[in-house]
C-alpha cells in the first residue's frame, strides 16, 4: 500500500466541533488491524525493523509502567514503518509460573480443595482452562492504548513452538556441560513451596529483634549477634577474621554450641568484618548464602534444620515448631541459661519477601538444576564491549558490566506444576537421560521424569528468537533477527536482559538478540514517589483513557521519558495533554474552513510571504530536530519540540498572523492555504507515532488519503530562511513586549485598545494588519490620545489607555519600581567600583553583578519611558 491511495472511507468532510476520543479510538484501531497495517511480511524487500514486546504476565493487566513502555515502542515502530521499513512489533505473554499457579490455587481453595486433590495432570489442565477464560486481559487493554503490534504473530511462552525451543536449548546446554544439578542455597518461599529468583524477592524494612548470644565457656567464650536465633540450631562453625588478634588463640578450637550436645570449630575467614559487632559470625551453611560459601571453603557440614514449610526438624524441644515460634522458644531457652547478653527490639532490618504472596523468604540448601554462566556471561559482556550491542543511555553500561561480570550460576528449577517440565528422566539403575523435542522419552518400569519445572525467565530468555520460529530456520527468523531495539525498564537489566543476551548469543552463533538496549526509568506519581497499593497512589491508566483519551495518556508518558530516568506523572498533566489534542483538533478545523489543502505543488518561494517562508523554515528545522531525538531515544525532547512547534509556532503564531490574509481572500490567501495544508500534513505525520488516533482522524480528513499508519515519514527538504525567521522574530518581540505592558496595566490580551503604529523603516512595516490582529489593536480614530508609547524592535507603538487604567495609581506603581531599579543599579555600581572586591571575587561572581547592573539600567530606561508615556495629571 502507498500513502497516495484515495479511499471513499476518508473523504474531505467537516469535522465535528469537538473531539471525543471515545467516538474515534476503538473504531480506528479495529480498522488498522483489519487492513493488516501491523502485519509484517518476511518476503518484503524493505529493510526490517523489529521489536519484541517484553511479554507481560498472563495474569496481568495494563498498568502505567506497561502503558509507558508500550507507548515508546509503538512510537518507534510506527515511525520506522512510515520510513519504509518492514516494521514488526511482536506481541505475546509469559506463562508466569508462580503467579498463575497461585491464581488457580486460590480458586481451588475457595472450593475447599488443593492442587494435590486434583493431581498434577488435572491441575495443569485446570490452569490451561483458567488461562483461556481469564488470562490475557492485558491484550485487550493494549488495543485500547493503540499498540500497533502484529497480532498474527502473538506468542505464549507455553505454546507448542516455544516449548520446542525450550527443550532444544535445554538439551544443547546440558550436552555442552552448561546445565548441572547440585545442592546450593536458594531463595525459598515456604508458602509457594518453591525456589524463586532474585527478582521475585522484594525487600522491605521489618521490625525484628537482634540478640547477642554467648557461645562457649570461660576463656573460650565468643559472642555473636543474630536476627534469626532459631538458625543457631544448624550452626556448624563460628568464623572470625584471620588477622583479628582477639580470637587468634581460639582458631581451630571446638566451642560448645548452646542448647545442643554438639561442639563446633572456630574458623578463620576473610569474609568476616572484624570492625562489625563483636567480629564473630555464626556459620549456618544450610540456611545462609554467605555461610554456605564459608562452609565450602572450610569443608563444614551442611545441617538442614527446617522443612520446606519452615518447620523445625531437629532438636527435641523445638521439633515441629514453626520458624517464628522456634525463634521465640530458642531465645527463651538461651535467656534461662544466661546466654543472652544483649537484646534490641524493635530492630529494623531489610528482609526479603516473596513478591507473589508476601511470605518471608527463607534461604535454604536445596538440590536444584543450575546453568553454568561463566562463559555465557562473558560473551554477554563482550557483545557490549565490542560494539555489537549498544546500551542507551551509555551510563547504564557500568551497571550492566557490574552484573554480567559477577554473575553467579543460575538456579533454573522451580517446585511448581505449571511451567515447562524439566526434560530429564531418571532410570531405575540411576540413569539420567535428557530428552529433546524430537526424542522418545524412556519407557518401562522405574523410569520417571523430573518433577520440577523451569524458571519462567528460562523461557522468556529465549523470547527474541523463539518467537520467530527457532530452532527451525524460518523466514521470520532470517528476516527479523536480530531485533533492533530492546526497550525495557532499567530495573530488570540484571534478570531478563542478561538472560536474553546469554541465550541469544549461545543459540544464534554469536549473533546478539538485539542491536540496542534502550533502558527507561520507572513511572512514579507527580511527587516522584514510587507507586504502590500501600501508598494509595496507584493509577489505572484505563481510568485516564476513559476520561481523557488514549492519546492524552500516551503524550503525557512520552513527554516524561528521559532515557534511564524515572517518570513522574499526575492527572493534571494528562488533562493538559488532552487540551493539546483538542487544540490540534480546533486548529485543523479552522484550517479546513479556510481552505487549507495539500493539492498541487507548493508555490515557488517568490510567491510566499515572509510568514509562509518562516513557518516552512521552522517546519524543516523541526523535522531534523525530531529525527535526531528519535535516534537518541530522547522521547521527552521530541515530544516537547513537537508540542511547542504545533501550539506555539503553528497555532499561536502562523495561524494568527495568517488570519488577515485568509479574511482578505485573493491569491495570497490561496498560497497561504496551501502552505498551511503542507504544515498541518507534516505536523500530523510527525505527531502520529506518539498520538496516533487524533492525528489519523485529522490527517485523513485533510488529505483524503487512506491512513497515516502507511503514510511516508516527513523528510527535511533543507529549506531554511534565516531572514524570514528574523523578520517574524521581530513581530514576536514587539508582540511579547506589548502584551507584557498590557498585562502590567491589568489589561486582558483580548481587550481591544486604540493604537498608532510607527513601523517606518523596519521589517515590521509589511505586517501592520497582522500585528493589529494579533494584539487586538484598533485604528486610532479622531479622539485618539497617546497615553503610553512603547519603543520596541525599532518601531513605536502608541496606545490610548484613557479610560482603561488609573493614571495616578499607575504613576505611583512605576515610581516605586523605578526607585527599586535605581537602588539595584547603585548597589551593583558600588561593588564593581570596589577594587578590593574585584581583586578577590571570582570571575563568575563579577559577571553576575555586571548582569545585574545591565538589567537594572534596562529596567530604568523602560520604566522612565512608561512614566513619560503617561498623560499629565
Amino acid at each position: 500500500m502507498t500513502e497516495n491511495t484515495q479511499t471513499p472511507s476518508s473523504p474531505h468532510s467537516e469535522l465535528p466541533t469537538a473531539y471525543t476520543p471515545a467516538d474515534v479510538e476503538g473504531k480506528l484501531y479495529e480498522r488498522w488491524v483489519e487492513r493488516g497495517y501491523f502485519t509484517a511480511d518476511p518476503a518484503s524487500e524493505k529493510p526490517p525493523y523489529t521489536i519484541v514486546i517484553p511479554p507481560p504476565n498472563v495474569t496481568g493487566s495494563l498498568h502505567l509502567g506497561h502503558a509507558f513502555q508500550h507507548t515508546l515502542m509503538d512510537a518507534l515502530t510506527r515511525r520506522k514503518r512510515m520510513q519504509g521499513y518492514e516494521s514488526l512489533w511482536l506481541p505475546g505473554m509469559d506463562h508466569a509460573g508462580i503467579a498463575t499457579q497461585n491464581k488457580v490455587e486460590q480458586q481451588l481453595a475457595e472450593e475447599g480443595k488443593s492442587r494435590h486433590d486434583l493431581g498434577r495432570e488435572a491441575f495443569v489442565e485446570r490452569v490451561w482452562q483458567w488461562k483461556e477464560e481469564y488470562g490475557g486481559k492485558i491484550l485487550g487493554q493494549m488495543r485500547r492504548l493503540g499498540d500497533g503490534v502484529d497480532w498474527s504473530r502473538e506468542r505464549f511462552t507455553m505454546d507448542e513452538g516455544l516449548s520446542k525451543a525450550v527443550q532444544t536449548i535445554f538439551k544443547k546446554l546440558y550436552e555442552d556441560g552448561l546445565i548441572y544439578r547440585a545442592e546450593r542455597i536458594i531463595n525459598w518461599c515456604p508458602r509457594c513451596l518453591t525456589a524463586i529468583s532474585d527478582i521475585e524477592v522484594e525487600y522491605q524494612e521489618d521490625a525484628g529483634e537482634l540478640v547477642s548470644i554467648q557461645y562457649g565457656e570461660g576463656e573460650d567464650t565468643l559472642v555473636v549477634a543474630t536476627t534469626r536465633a532459631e538458625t543457631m540450631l544448624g550452626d556448624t562453625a563460628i568464623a572470625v577474621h584471620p588477622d583479628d588478634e582477639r580470637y587468634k588463640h581460639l582458631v581451630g578450637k571446638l566451642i560448645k554450641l548452646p542448647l545442643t550436645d554438639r561442639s563446633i570449630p572456630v574458623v578463620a575467614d576473610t569474609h568476616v568484618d572484624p570492625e562489625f559487632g563483636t567480629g564473630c559470625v555464626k556459620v549456618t551453611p544450610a540456611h545462609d548464602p554467605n555461610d554456605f560459601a564459608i562452609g565450602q571453603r572450610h569443608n563444614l557440614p551442611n545441617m538442614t534444620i527446617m522443612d520446606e514449610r519452615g518447620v523445625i526438624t531437629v532438636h527435641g524441644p523445638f521439633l515441629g515448631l514453626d520458624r517464628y515460634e522456634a525463634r521465640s522458644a530458642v531465645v527463651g531457652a538461651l535467656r534461662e541459661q544466661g546466654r543472652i547478653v544483649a537484646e534490641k527490639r524493635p530492630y529494623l532490618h531489610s528482609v526479603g519477601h516473596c513478591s507473589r504472596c508476601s511470605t518471608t523468604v527463607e534461604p535454604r540448601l536445596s538440590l536444584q538444576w543450575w546453568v553454568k554462566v561463566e562463559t555465557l556471561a562473558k560473551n554477554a559482556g563482550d557483545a557490549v564491549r565490542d560494539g555489537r550491542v549498544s546500551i542507551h543511555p551509555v551510563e547504564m553500561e557500568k551497571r550492566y558490566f557490574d552484573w554480567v561480570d559477577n554473575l553467579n550460576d543460575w538456579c533454573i528449577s522451580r517446585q511448581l506444576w505449571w511451567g515447562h517440565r524439566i526434560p530429564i528422566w531418571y532410570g531405575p539403575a540411576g540413569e539420567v537421560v535428557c530428552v529433546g523435542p524430537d526424542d522418545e522419552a524412556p519407557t518401562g518400569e522405574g523410569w520417571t521424569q523430573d518433577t520440577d519445572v523451569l524458571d519462567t525467565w528460562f523461557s522468556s530468555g529465549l523470547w527474541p528468537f523463539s518467537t520467530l520460529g527457532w530452532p527451525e530456520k524460518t523466514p521470520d527468523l532470517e528476516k527479523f533477527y536480530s531485533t533492533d531495539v530492546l526497550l525495557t525498564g532499567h530495573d530488570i537489566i540484571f534478570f531478563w536482559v542478561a538472560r536474553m543476551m546469554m541465550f541469544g548469543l549461545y543459540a544464534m552463533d554469536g549473533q546478539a538478540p538485539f542491536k540496542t538496549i534502550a533502558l527507561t526509568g520507572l513511572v512514579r506519581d507527580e511527587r516522584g514517589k514510587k507507586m504502590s497499593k500501600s501508598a494509595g497512589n496507584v493509577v489505572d491508566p484505563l481510568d485516564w483513557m476513559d476520561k481523557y483519551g488514549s492519546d492524552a495518556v500516551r503524550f503525557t508518558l512520552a513527554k516524561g521519558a528521559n532515557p534511564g530516568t524515572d517518570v513522574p506523572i499526575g492527572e493534571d498533566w494528562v488533562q493538559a495533554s488532552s487540551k493539546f489534542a483538542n487544540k490540534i483538533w480546533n486548529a485543523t478545523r479552522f484550517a479546513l474552513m479556510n481552505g487549507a489543502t495539500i493539492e498541487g505543488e507548493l508555490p515557488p518561494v517568490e510567491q510566499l510571504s515572509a510568514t509562509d517562508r518562516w513557518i516552512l523554515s521552522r517546519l524543516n528545522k523541526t523535522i531534523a530536530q525530531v529525527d535526531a531525538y528519535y535516534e537518541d531515544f530522547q522521547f521527552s525532547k521530541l515530544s516537547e519540540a513537537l508540542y511547542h512547534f504545533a501550539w506555539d509556532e503553528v497555532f499561536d503564531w502562523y495561524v494568527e498572523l495568517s488570519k488577515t490574509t485568509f479574511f482578505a481572500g485573493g491569491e495570497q490567501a490561496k498560497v497561504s492555504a496551501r502552505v498551511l495544508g503542507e504544515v498541518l500534513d507534516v505536523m500530523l505525520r510527525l505527531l502520529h507515532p506518539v498520538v496516533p488516533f487524533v492525528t489519523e482522524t485529522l490527517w485523513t480528513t485533510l488529505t483524503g488519503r487512506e491512513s497515516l499508519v502507511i503514510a511516508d515519514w516527513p523528510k527535511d527538504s533543507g529549506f531554511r530562511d534565516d531572514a524570514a525567521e528574523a523578520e517574524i522574530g521581530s513581530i514576536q518581540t514587539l508582540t511579547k513586549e506589548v502584551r507584557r505592558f498590557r498585562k502590567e496595566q491589568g489589561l486582558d490580551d483580548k481587550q481591544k485598545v486604540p493604537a498608532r503604529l510607527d513601523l517606518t523603516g523596519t521589517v515590521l512595516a509589511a505586517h501592520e494588519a497582522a500585528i493589529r490582529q494579533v494584539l487586538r489593536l484598533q485604528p486610532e480614530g479622531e479622539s485618539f490620545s497617546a497615553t503610553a508609547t512603547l519603543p520596541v524592535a525599532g518601531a513605536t507603538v502608541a496606545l490610548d489607555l484613557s479610560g482603561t487604567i488609573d493614571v495616578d495609581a499607575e504613576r505611583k506603581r512605576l515610581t516605586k519600581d523605578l526607585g527599586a531599579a535605581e537602588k539595584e543599579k547603585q548597589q551593583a555600581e558600588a561593588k564593581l567600583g570596589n577594587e578590593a572586591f574585584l581583586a578577590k571575587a571570582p570571575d563568575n561572581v563579577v559577571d553576575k553583578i555586571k548582569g545585574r547592573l545591565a538589567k537594572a539600567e534596562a529596567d530604568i530606561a523602560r520604566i522612565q519611558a512608561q512614566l513619560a508615556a503617561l498623560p499629565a495629571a
Side-chain angles (χ1 to χ4, degrees):
M1 296 180 185
T2 68
E3 63 157 340
N4 295 316
T5 305
Q6 294 284 345
T7 171
S9 63
S10 304
H12 286 82
S13 60
E14 185 177 343
L15 290 166
T17 54
Y19 175 53
T20 307
D23 294 343
V24 171
E25 294 178 348
K27 295 174 186 175
L28 264 188
Y29 188 83
E30 291 310 315
R31 188 166 76 195
W32 290 335
V33 174
E34 288 167 6
R35 293 183 177 181
Y37 294 156
F38 306 138
T39 304
D41 180 5
S44 168
E45 293 183 1
K46 296 177 182 178
Y49 183 82
T50 316
I51 294 180
V52 291
I53 204 165
N57 286 354
V58 66
T59 61
S61 60
L62 190 76
H63 57 63
L64 273 175
H66 289 129
F68 170 56
Q69 292 181 357
H70 288 206
T71 293
L72 305 188
M73 285 185 276
D74 196 31
L76 290 172
T77 49
R78 282 178 183 269
R79 173 175 173 261
K80 285 295 183 179
R81 187 178 293 111
M82 294 172 75
Q83 286 183 313
Y85 287 79
E86 194 62 28
S87 195
L88 169 62
W89 186 19
L90 193 148
M93 293 183 298
D94 191 286
H95 65 277
I98 295 177
T100 309
Q101 179 158 320
N102 279 351
K103 287 280 187 184
V104 178
E105 287 196 84
Q106 288 166 12
Q107 257 189 1
L108 289 173
E110 292 171 4
E111 300 170 12
K113 299 177 182 177
S114 75
R115 60 178 163 131
H116 300 285
D117 294 324
L118 271 67
R120 182 169 193 143
E121 189 174 328
F123 176 78
V124 170
E125 179 59 33
R126 179 74 176 257
V127 180
W128 276 109
Q129 291 172 7
W130 181 93
K131 185 257 182 186
E132 294 303 316
E133 188 172 354
Y134 301 105
K137 176 182 177 183
I138 193 172
L139 299 178
Q141 296 168 338
M142 286 162 55
R143 300 170 93 94
R144 279 287 313 276
L145 187 64
D147 283 9
V149 296
D150 184 346
W151 291 110
S152 72
R153 286 178 167 83
E154 180 193 334
R155 303 303 300 267
F156 179 56
T157 51
M158 288 274 287
D159 69 28
E160 184 178 350
L162 269 65
S163 294
K164 182 176 183 180
V166 167
Q167 293 172 32
T168 300
I169 201 163
F170 186 99
K171 183 172 182 180
K172 181 174 170 59
L173 288 162
Y174 181 80
E175 291 179 345
D176 286 349
L178 296 176
I179 283 183
Y180 64 95
R181 198 180 191 208
E183 275 197 324
R184 298 278 189 279
I185 292 286
I186 44 88
N187 301 308
W188 182 266
C189 176
R191 152 61 182 79
C192 298
L193 299 180
T194 181
I196 59 176
S197 67
D198 290 340
I199 199 173
E200 292 162 327
V201 179
E202 293 181 348
Y203 289 88
Q204 63 187 49
E205 291 290 310
D206 284 359
E209 61 178 351
L210 180 69
V211 294
S212 297
I213 307 169
Q214 176 185 308
Y215 285 41
E217 304 290 347
E219 292 183 0
D220 296 347
T221 295
L222 296 168
V223 174
V224 299
T226 181
T227 57
R228 302 167 67 218
E230 71 282 5
T231 62
M232 68 160 292
L233 302 174
D235 286 357
T236 57
I238 295 174
V240 297
H241 195 277
D243 297 332
D244 194 331
E245 294 294 335
R246 295 171 295 176
Y247 306 117
K248 276 193 172 181
H249 67 289
L250 292 176
V251 174
K253 283 192 173 183
L254 293 175
I255 300 291
K256 182 75 167 62
L257 180 63
L259 306 183
T260 74
D261 57 1
R262 293 189 293 118
S263 293
I264 57 177
V266 178
V267 299
D269 196 280
T270 54
H271 171 76
V272 180
D273 181 0
E275 303 298 323
F276 184 78
T278 63
C280 301
V281 174
K282 59 189 287 298
V283 183
T284 320
H287 294 278
D288 182 274
N290 293 321
D291 293 4
F292 179 79
I294 294 174
Q296 291 284 297
R297 288 192 289 271
H298 297 277
N299 296 314
L300 299 175
N302 301 316
M303 187 171 180
T304 300
I305 61 159
M306 289 183 216
D307 68 12
E308 59 186 8
R309 298 182 184 276
V311 174
I312 302 299
T313 58
V314 296
H315 299 296
F318 311 109
L319 182 66
L321 293 181
D322 170 83
R323 54 184 168 161
Y324 298 113
E325 296 172 333
R327 183 173 302 169
S328 178
V330 166
V331 171
L334 289 169
R335 190 181 292 113
E336 285 181 9
Q337 291 187 6
R339 291 189 175 275
I340 300 294
V341 297
E343 296 181 67
K344 186 175 181 180
R345 291 192 188 90
Y347 178 73
L348 286 177
H349 61 131
S350 182
V351 177
H353 294 259
C354 174
S355 63
R356 304 302 177 190
C357 67
S358 299
T359 302
T360 299
V361 170
E362 191 67 39
R364 185 169 189 258
L365 185 65
S366 182
L367 182 62
Q368 303 283 347
W369 284 95
W370 302 82
V371 172
K372 189 181 295 184
V373 301
E374 182 180 4
T375 304
L376 300 173
K378 181 182 182 302
N379 293 339
D382 290 346
V384 174
R385 288 188 170 95
D386 64 25
R388 278 175 288 162
V389 178
S390 62
I391 293 180
H392 190 90
V394 70
E395 306 88 72
M396 290 286 181
E397 278 190 3
K398 183 179 183 302
R399 292 182 64 186
Y400 176 79
F401 291 136
D402 285 347
W403 179 255
V404 298
D405 292 348
N406 299 285
L407 202 57
N408 295 317
D409 285 359
W410 169 21
C411 175
I412 56 171
S413 46
R414 298 291 180 268
Q415 290 64 56
L416 302 171
W417 288 356
W418 172 245
H420 292 282
R421 189 95 171 256
I422 288 180
I424 293 287
W425 268 256
Y426 304 106
E431 302 96 330
V432 178
V433 175
C434 182
V435 176
D438 300 320
D439 300 333
E440 290 290 331
T443 57
E445 188 176 348
W447 282 95
T448 58
Q449 186 178 358
D450 195 296
T451 57
D452 289 351
V453 300
L454 287 162
D455 178 12
T456 297
W457 297 100
F458 190 95
S459 51
S460 60
L462 314 180
W463 190 252
F465 53 95
S466 63
T467 52
L468 296 173
W470 187 91
E472 306 302 326
K473 293 182 178 180
T474 64
D476 275 4
L477 192 65
E478 185 176 348
K479 176 77 173 180
F480 296 112
Y481 189 89
S482 36
T483 68
D484 288 86
V485 178
L486 171 72
L487 191 143
T488 190
H490 63 65
D491 54 326
I492 61 171
I493 187 173
F494 311 132
F495 305 99
W496 190 48
V497 178
R499 281 149 175 70
M500 284 190 292
M501 285 286 282
M502 290 192 297
F503 279 171
L505 291 162
Y506 174 75
M508 298 299 293
D509 299 321
Q511 192 177 1
F514 18 76
K515 300 176 182 74
T516 301
I517 301 169
L519 297 169
T520 70
L522 309 179
V523 179
R524 297 184 178 272
D525 71 12
E526 63 267 35
R527 296 179 181 84
K529 293 183 178 178
K530 182 179 179 181
M531 290 188 175
S532 65
K533 291 179 181 178
S534 59
N537 61 352
V538 173
V539 174
D540 185 344
L542 295 169
D543 292 340
W544 282 350
M545 288 184 212
D546 290 340
K547 196 170 182 180
Y548 302 109
S550 297
D551 282 335
V553 174
R554 290 170 62 115
F555 194 68
T556 305
L557 290 165
K559 277 185 76 176
N562 289 302
T565 60
D566 290 346
V567 183
I569 185 172
E571 186 169 0
D572 289 349
W573 305 340
V574 182
Q575 189 174 15
S577 294
S578 175
K579 289 179 180 177
F580 178 52
N582 286 318
K583 183 77 171 179
I584 301 171
W585 185 272
N586 292 331
T588 305
R589 284 188 72 247
F590 169 84
L592 290 172
M593 287 188 293
N594 284 277
T597 180
I598 64 162
E599 298 302 323
E601 296 295 322
L602 272 175
V605 174
E606 57 269 20
Q607 292 183 20
L608 303 178
S609 68
T611 310
D612 294 334
R613 287 182 278 114
W614 164 74
I615 197 63
L616 290 174
S617 182
R618 290 298 309 134
L619 177 66
N620 280 284
K621 285 184 178 179
T622 301
I623 294 170
Q625 193 176 40
V626 168
D627 279 336
Y629 287 145
Y630 261 114
E631 295 308 312
D632 200 33
F633 302 98
Q634 297 279 1
F635 295 98
S636 177
K637 289 182 178 179
L638 72 87
S639 299
E640 287 286 350
L642 287 169
Y643 176 88
H644 289 297
F645 175 72
W647 194 304
D648 298 344
E649 297 184 310
V650 178
F651 306 148
D652 281 358
W653 286 108
Y654 182 72
V655 169
E656 288 298 318
L657 291 173
S658 299
K659 280 182 177 178
T660 53
T661 303
F662 290 131
F663 296 161
E667 288 303 312
Q668 192 57 51
K670 292 180 182 178
V671 170
S672 292
R674 178 64 186 89
V675 171
L676 180 54
E678 182 77 10
V679 170
L680 288 175
D681 172 22
V682 174
M683 183 194 77
L684 292 170
R685 293 173 196 242
L686 291 172
L687 281 164
H688 175 73
V690 180
V691 283
F693 294 109
V694 67
T695 53
E696 172 84 341
T697 306
L698 294 173
W699 188 83
T700 53
T701 302
L702 170 70
T703 66
R705 294 176 181 169
E706 183 177 343
S707 176
L708 255 180
V709 180
I710 53 171
D712 289 339
W713 181 254
K715 292 181 180 178
D716 175 10
S717 70
F719 178 77
R720 303 287 189 273
D721 194 323
D722 294 339
E725 291 198 38
E727 189 168 330
I728 303 306
S730 296
I731 298 176
Q732 292 172 325
T733 300
L734 181 143
T735 302
K736 290 173 183 176
E737 184 63 24
V738 173
R739 282 177 174 167
R740 185 186 64 77
F741 177 77
R742 288 172 59 127
K743 186 176 182 180
E744 289 174 348
Q745 313 308 315
L747 298 177
D748 186 88
D749 279 348
K750 296 181 180 179
Q751 185 172 344
K752 294 182 178 179
V753 176
R756 177 187 299 136
L757 304 184
D758 182 4
L759 310 176
T760 307
T762 72
V763 293
L764 301 170
H767 302 280
E768 180 168 348
I771 291 170
R772 286 185 177 276
Q773 165 69 27
V774 171
L775 287 171
R776 308 294 192 267
L777 301 179
Q778 293 178 319
E780 47 196 278
E782 292 182 6
S783 60
F784 180 81
S785 173
T787 60
T789 303
L790 302 176
V792 58
T796 303
V797 180
L799 303 173
D800 183 356
L801 303 178
S802 56
T804 62
I805 62 171
D806 183 332
V807 176
D808 288 339
E810 181 62 13
R811 182 175 283 108
K812 287 179 182 178
R813 186 185 70 79
L814 289 172
T815 302
K816 182 179 178 182
D817 289 349
L818 180 62
E822 288 174 338
K823 183 178 180 181
E824 175 73 5
K825 178 187 176 187
Q826 291 169 2
Q827 290 175 342
E829 286 178 333
K831 284 193 174 183
L832 293 173
N834 184 334
E835 294 297 333
F837 169 78
L838 293 175
K840 295 179 180 179
D843 291 344
N844 65 316
V845 174
V846 175
D847 290 341
K848 188 175 180 181
I849 294 170
K850 287 179 179 177
R852 284 169 51 192
L853 176 60
K855 183 179 183 302
E857 289 174 338
D859 287 344
I860 291 169
R862 175 178 55 80
I863 296 168
Q864 286 175 338
Q866 289 177 255
L867 282 167
L870 290 175

